[in-house]
Amino acid sequence: MFAQIVLNEFSRNTEKVFTYKIPENMKNLEIGMRVSVPINKSIVEGYIIKITNYSEIPDNKLKYIINVLDDYSIFDEKMLKLAFWMKDYYNCFLSESLQCIIPTGIKKGEKKVKKVKLKKEFLSKIKEDFPSRQLEILNFLSNKDSIYLSDLIRNLNVSYSSVYSLYKKGFIDIFYEEVDRFNVGEYARTKKLAPTKEQEYVISKVKDSIERGLFDKYLLFGVTGSGKTEVYLQLIEKCIDMGKDAIVLVPEISLTPQTIERFISRFGNLVAVLHSGLSRGERFDEWRRIKKGEVKVAVGVRNAIFAPFSNIGLIIIDEEHENTYKQSDFRPKYNVKEVAEKRCEIEKAVLLLGSATPQIESFYRALKNEYKLLRLKDRIGIELPRVEVVNMSKELAEGNNSIFSRRLYKEIKLNLIKGEQTILFLNRRGYSSFVSCRDCGYVPKCPNCDISLTYHAFEGKLKCHYCGYNTDMVSICPKCKSKRIRYLGIGTERIEKDIKKLFPKSKVLRMDVDTTKTKGSHEKIFYEFKKGNADILIGTQMISKGFDIPNVTLVGVILADVTLNIPDFRSGERTFQLLTQVAGRAGRGTKPGRVIIQTYEDDNYSILAAKNQDYEKFYKEEIHYREIFKYPPFTHLMNIVIYGDIKNDVIDNAARLYNIIYKTINKSNKKGYNKILGPSSAPIERIKNNYRWQIIVKSSDRGILLDVANVLNTLKIQKNIKISFDLDPISII
């Protein structure tokens, strides 16, 4: 017997499949098992992808598998098929796509603890002439089934030797038991609600596809507060009734507290949770629960798409427009929507994408009937909030130098009087965007990146949000020795300080990267606000979705222009989505909601459409621009970044690479629109002491971009230069 194995090594040299002999004592091997094998003079980890009775390689040239690392397979043939598809579609190594499937924390394994129990057959033999400590232990265990050894020692204040002596005499058993490291907590159980007519129609359409075992793709376009979550819950219940499994994806960890509560309160211990806020061991425990068939629903962020269910009926991607569904940091740079679509195709399952502000490409596909479009047009029980746009240029001209417009100030004050809650949104953390000397114009910059340092007042530090560099705040200009230092730009920390100054009796919470570094911090802040222990919540995009708090009646957007002026073709779309989503946090109970958007560009089409909460009007304008400038969905993009520590080397290699790409495209027989932009310096030219130049390739044929990717993967370049590329990037910054 022979096993074909992919090594857990990411390089061209180890990308091929290796064949090993299976020892006689390993006849129960399966596809997906993790093994250790010899290669050259090393022992490495690998994954079995095929077991055969025949090998074309002579037997005397093959080595044996050394060890089996687990007593279960990590992936089955369907997941292996998905990994092969990812390898081809994202142009990565098979070992890299398999690594997405391998559970985080597997090397920690399951957690086992020692337990103790009395052997019942010796219950009648407990005598008073036992040593006093041993007698105390036996009497304590006589009315218990079992107990953790650590609890026994702590409760009775006895030594391990006293317990162990009873074990040696045969009176007690000491054994290991597997325990879960993660506990989601208890929630009051809820029952399904009576659906509205709109909800009932949506549920019936998707249910029909689930019952018939069809591979169908739906886009659920529902305004904020229209009851999308209840639709999800009732469809999952249908899956469970049919003996099928469901995966629910949410875009980021800050969404999970309320999401987890909703799903566990409906389905109890049939729900597993997978997100980066858990430790590696906790994530592995949840993965094992899914693998063993103990749960029917997985709720999590991006990598939960690889949950090891064997009978999937439904995959839901909530807030499908979010950028976090794209893996951009390392290979494979996959889009979870594409992976979910392929997994549903393999599993014959239903894919349901949901959003109040669908991604432009998704809505385009729905209008082209590639997705089946379902709509929820009405909020349940209450109207959409009233939205007002305030021009901050006029405020300034009329003498208001505050970061709060007079209108927003008045509404915050009114809310405090009425005992209602307020959310203030600004998608920029810190106190000031940068600091500057009034006399000479000096601005402190990061020594590693071409970016000004952001001032964080609470810590008294200047920080780089790209490489993590930080230094003490300057009080004297190092260039001209002036003490006239000014703070320019605003962040969430500045908002918090000013609110406390204007409304000293108000209770304020802040949710951003700086306040949510510790484990469980998202949940703590969320529940503090939900319980009414704070009047005002200030935050970044973390608070723009998933917060369903009835007493929030006012939302203030401090500066809508932050995302609007980013040099990216998606900036208008991102602005509209953020404004619409954060506006949807207001008025979700019985009280009407108000939203005030502060901006310097009140005539911009994104802001006007957000004011009117008119997605389709925004879509018509945006899709027009996309078609003119040949951006997705009319073309595919490839973002190529050339970087290194010597600027001239980076520029030279960027020019060389342009010529190679140009020749590759011209050699292709595929026709259509093709355009190469660059090479040019990236918007932030230097990050972490690496100079960055950029080439963007547009093509109406994704196959041409794959041809370019193949060339890049085999290209030999000088040692101090690196190249990274992203197919269909979510951003080109």
Side-chain angles (χ1 to χ4, degrees):
M1 296 284 287
F2 304 91
Q4 293 183 0
I5 292 172
V6 172
L7 304 183
N8 186 13
E9 300 284 331
F10 309 147
S11 75
R12 296 170 192 158
N13 296 330
T14 56
E15 174 55 10
K16 68 178 183 178
V17 176
F18 293 84
T19 302
Y20 287 87
K21 290 189 284 188
I22 300 175
E24 284 296 321
N25 63 339
M26 295 185 191
K27 293 301 181 185
N28 294 323
L29 294 183
E30 298 176 4
I31 287 174
M33 279 189 164
R34 196 166 58 108
V35 294
S36 57
V37 293
I39 183 166
N40 299 326
K41 294 182 180 180
S42 302
I43 296 173
V44 300
E45 183 181 287
Y47 312 109
I48 297 174
I49 63 168
K50 191 173 183 181
I51 295 174
T52 65
N53 293 315
Y54 171 76
S55 172
E56 294 180 354
I57 303 170
D59 194 70
N60 61 349
K61 291 188 177 181
L62 294 177
K63 297 178 181 179
Y64 281 100
I65 293 172
I66 294 174
N67 194 20
V68 182
L69 300 178
D70 311 296
D71 59 358
Y72 51 84
S73 61
I74 295 170
F75 52 83
D76 58 16
E77 291 191 28
K78 288 188 287 188
M79 291 297 278
L80 181 60
K81 186 176 181 180
L82 182 67
F84 271 108
W85 174 82
M86 290 176 67
K87 169 187 175 294
D88 295 334
Y89 194 78
Y90 297 110
N91 203 284
C92 65
F93 300 134
L94 180 59
S95 53
E96 289 175 320
S97 60
L98 283 174
Q99 199 60 39
C100 297
I101 295 168
I102 309 304
T104 301
I106 190 168
K107 292 184 179 179
K108 289 182 176 288
E110 64 273 13
K111 183 177 181 181
K112 294 181 178 180
V113 296
K114 282 185 178 179
K115 295 193 79 174
V116 180
K117 70 176 180 179
L118 177 69
K119 290 184 177 179
K120 297 301 182 184
E121 61 266 30
F122 292 105
L123 189 60
S124 60
K125 297 182 181 181
I126 299 175
K127 299 177 181 179
E128 294 298 327
D129 59 356
F130 272 92
S132 60
R133 300 304 271 162
Q134 292 184 15
L135 183 62
E136 187 180 4
I137 293 168
L138 292 171
N139 285 329
F140 183 80
L141 292 173
S142 63
N143 58 2
K144 294 186 181 300
D145 184 34
S146 65
I147 187 172
Y148 294 126
L149 176 59
S150 58
D151 289 347
L152 175 66
I153 291 171
R154 184 176 62 253
N155 290 340
L156 298 183
N157 195 24
V158 296
S159 66
Y160 177 76
S161 59
S162 296
V163 181
Y164 189 66
S165 62
L166 288 170
Y167 169 72
K168 287 199 295 184
K169 292 175 183 178
F171 280 85
I172 64 172
D173 270 334
I174 298 177
F175 58 96
Y176 283 97
E177 182 174 278
E178 187 179 328
V179 295
D180 287 332
R181 282 161 280 206
F182 177 62
N183 182 11
V184 295
E186 295 294 327
Y187 298 99
R189 297 300 292 270
T190 59
K191 295 181 179 179
K192 68 180 180 181
L193 305 175
T196 64
K197 287 185 178 180
E198 282 188 331
Q199 287 176 318
E200 192 171 16
Y201 175 78
V202 170
I203 291 167
S204 66
K205 295 294 287 185
V206 182
K207 262 187 181 180
D208 181 61
S209 295
I210 296 171
E211 287 172 341
R212 295 167 63 191
L214 300 176
F215 164 49
D216 271 338
K217 299 171 288 186
Y218 290 93
L219 175 62
L220 177 55
F221 173 33
V223 299
T224 56
S226 60
K228 292 187 290 294
T229 303
E230 184 62 29
V231 169
Y232 302 157
L233 290 166
Q234 296 199 23
L235 290 172
I236 291 168
E237 184 178 30
K238 178 63 182 176
C239 273
I240 294 172
D241 290 345
M242 293 179 64
K244 293 187 176 185
D245 310 308
I247 295 174
V248 183
L249 300 180
V250 293
E252 55 199 22
I253 186 175
S254 63
L255 260 180
T256 56
Q258 189 157 358
T259 305
I260 290 170
E261 180 179 349
R262 284 173 170 171
F263 284 90
I264 293 176
S265 62
R266 188 68 62 93
F267 303 117
N269 60 6
L270 293 179
V271 179
V273 178
L274 295 166
H275 63 71
S276 58
L278 307 182
S279 70
R280 286 175 173 267
E282 288 172 334
R283 276 181 276 173
F284 176 72
D285 288 347
E286 291 294 272
W287 182 91
R288 282 273 279 168
R289 289 179 66 215
I290 298 168
K291 181 72 176 175
K292 287 158 47 174
E294 295 175 2
V295 300
K296 303 297 290 180
V297 185
V299 179
V301 291
R302 186 173 57 223
N303 64 356
I305 190 59
F306 304 108
F309 287 119
S310 58
N311 188 23
I312 292 178
L314 176 66
I315 295 176
I316 295 168
I317 303 181
D318 192 29
E319 310 290 3
E320 67 85 30
H321 62 275
E322 280 294 325
N323 290 354
T324 50
Y325 286 128
K326 169 74 175 181
Q327 167 58 266
S328 301
D329 297 330
F330 51 82
R331 295 178 15 145
K333 295 183 177 180
Y334 67 88
N335 188 314
V336 79
K337 289 187 285 187
E338 295 168 342
V339 175
E341 186 172 326
K342 187 63 183 180
R343 189 167 186 191
C344 285
E345 180 186 329
I346 294 168
E347 302 267 1
K348 296 293 186 287
V350 174
L351 175 63
L352 177 61
L353 310 177
S355 178
T357 56
Q359 190 181 43
I360 292 294
E361 291 94 318
S362 298
F363 201 70
Y364 180 83
R365 290 184 68 183
L367 296 181
K368 295 287 184 181
N369 296 319
E370 293 178 40
Y371 294 145
K372 295 180 179 179
L373 183 60
L374 300 170
R375 297 174 185 260
L376 293 174
K377 297 179 181 178
D378 301 320
R379 264 195 167 192
I380 295 177
I382 198 162
E383 294 181 356
L384 286 165
R386 185 184 75 250
V387 181
E388 184 178 342
V389 174
V390 177
N391 187 314
M392 293 303 286
S393 296
K394 291 180 181 177
E395 289 281 315
L396 189 62
E398 292 170 4
N400 179 17
N401 296 317
S402 168
I403 56 178
F404 303 106
S405 64
R406 289 165 296 184
R407 182 78 177 122
L408 181 56
Y409 172 84
K410 180 181 176 183
E411 291 298 325
I412 294 171
K413 187 176 181 179
L414 180 62
N415 250 31
L416 289 169
I417 293 169
K418 293 164 66 178
E420 295 173 3
Q421 291 173 293
T422 300
I423 286 177
L424 298 178
F425 169 77
L426 175 64
N427 206 27
R428 182 189 287 152
R429 64 189 175 103
Y431 186 87
S432 293
S433 305
F434 64 98
V435 296
S436 173
C437 173
R438 289 178 182 266
D439 292 331
C440 71
Y442 168 79
V443 175
K445 291 190 174 183
C446 176
N448 310 313
C449 311
D450 284 339
I451 195 80
S452 58
L453 296 172
T454 300
Y455 177 46
H456 290 250
F458 180 75
E459 300 170 81
K461 295 283 188 182
L462 293 167
K463 291 185 176 183
C464 175
H465 292 169
Y466 286 87
C467 73
Y469 170 84
N470 69 85
T471 187
D472 292 336
M473 174 59 189
V474 294
S475 57
I476 299 175
C477 174
K479 188 175 179 181
C480 73
K481 307 307 178 186
S482 168
K483 293 183 179 180
R484 288 160 41 89
I485 303 295
R486 61 177 175 176
Y487 307 99
L488 298 170
I490 54 174
T492 48
E493 199 176 330
R494 167 77 183 277
I495 303 298
E496 182 181 20
K497 182 183 176 182
D498 284 15
I499 281 289
K500 287 178 177 178
K501 186 177 179 181
L502 290 169
F503 306 104
K505 293 183 179 179
S506 65
K507 295 176 182 177
V508 183
L509 290 171
R510 174 163 58 93
M511 182 182 276
D512 55 28
V513 171
D514 298 313
T515 62
T516 56
K517 291 177 181 176
T518 58
K519 185 176 180 179
S521 51
H522 290 91
E523 289 88 343
K524 183 179 179 182
I525 295 170
F526 170 76
Y527 284 115
E528 279 292 298
F529 193 59
K530 184 180 180 183
K531 290 173 185 175
N533 295 336
D535 306 302
I536 300 168
L537 176 65
I538 300 162
T540 55
Q541 63 183 29
M542 292 180 179
I543 63 171
S544 66
K545 64 197 81 67
F547 276 49
D548 189 353
I549 300 173
N551 199 37
V552 173
T553 57
L554 174 65
V555 166
V557 179
I558 304 303
L559 188 59
D561 310 17
V562 170
T563 49
L564 194 61
N565 295 320
I566 293 172
D568 188 280
F569 76 96
R570 293 189 192 274
S571 61
E573 178 183 17
R574 188 75 182 131
T575 299
F576 173 81
Q577 289 167 342
L578 271 173
L579 294 180
T580 305
Q581 293 287 338
V582 76
R585 301 312 103 204
R588 296 180 75 92
T590 56
K591 303 168 187 174
R594 300 106 65 209
V595 180
I596 296 172
I597 298 173
Q598 298 183 168
T599 179
Y600 289 92
E601 300 184 50
D602 59 351
D603 58 347
N604 182 275
Y605 72 97
S606 300
I607 290 173
L608 288 173
K611 175 187 176 181
N612 298 320
Q613 297 176 72
D614 190 341
Y615 174 83
E616 294 191 58
K617 183 177 180 181
F618 166 76
Y619 173 83
K620 287 176 184 176
E621 186 114 10
E622 180 70 15
I623 202 73
H624 175 65
Y625 293 135
R626 297 279 185 95
E627 187 169 20
I628 291 173
F629 295 108
K630 300 298 182 199
Y631 277 111
F634 300 101
T635 58
H636 292 277
L637 296 184
M638 185 178 196
N639 187 24
I640 304 164
V641 178
I642 306 96
Y643 58 101
D645 57 354
I646 300 174
K647 185 174 182 178
N648 286 339
D649 287 352
V650 172
I651 295 172
D652 290 345
N653 278 274
R656 175 185 168 224
L657 191 57
Y658 172 88
N659 291 327
I660 292 170
I661 293 169
Y662 182 81
K663 289 176 183 177
T664 302
I665 292 174
N666 281 349
K667 281 182 183 177
S668 174
N669 294 323
K670 299 164 185 171
K671 296 180 180 180
Y673 175 85
N674 297 295
K675 180 83 173 178
I676 307 173
L677 304 177
S680 61
S681 59
I684 301 174
E685 186 175 6
R686 186 169 58 102
I687 295 178
K688 297 180 181 179
N689 282 321
N690 277 300
Y691 293 92
R692 305 163 66 247
W693 275 56
Q694 190 175 32
I695 297 172
I696 296 169
V697 186
K698 295 181 184 180
S699 180
S700 56
D701 188 337
R702 196 174 186 275
I704 287 179
L705 300 184
L706 285 172
D707 291 342
V708 173
N710 285 328
V711 170
L712 295 179
N713 274 334
T714 57
L715 191 64
K716 291 183 179 180
I717 53 174
Q718 61 193 76
K719 287 184 179 179
N720 68 322
I721 298 295
K722 293 182 180 178
I723 298 171
S724 71
F725 63 85
D726 190 357
L727 286 161
D728 296 315
I730 205 71
S731 171
I732 56 174
I733 292 180

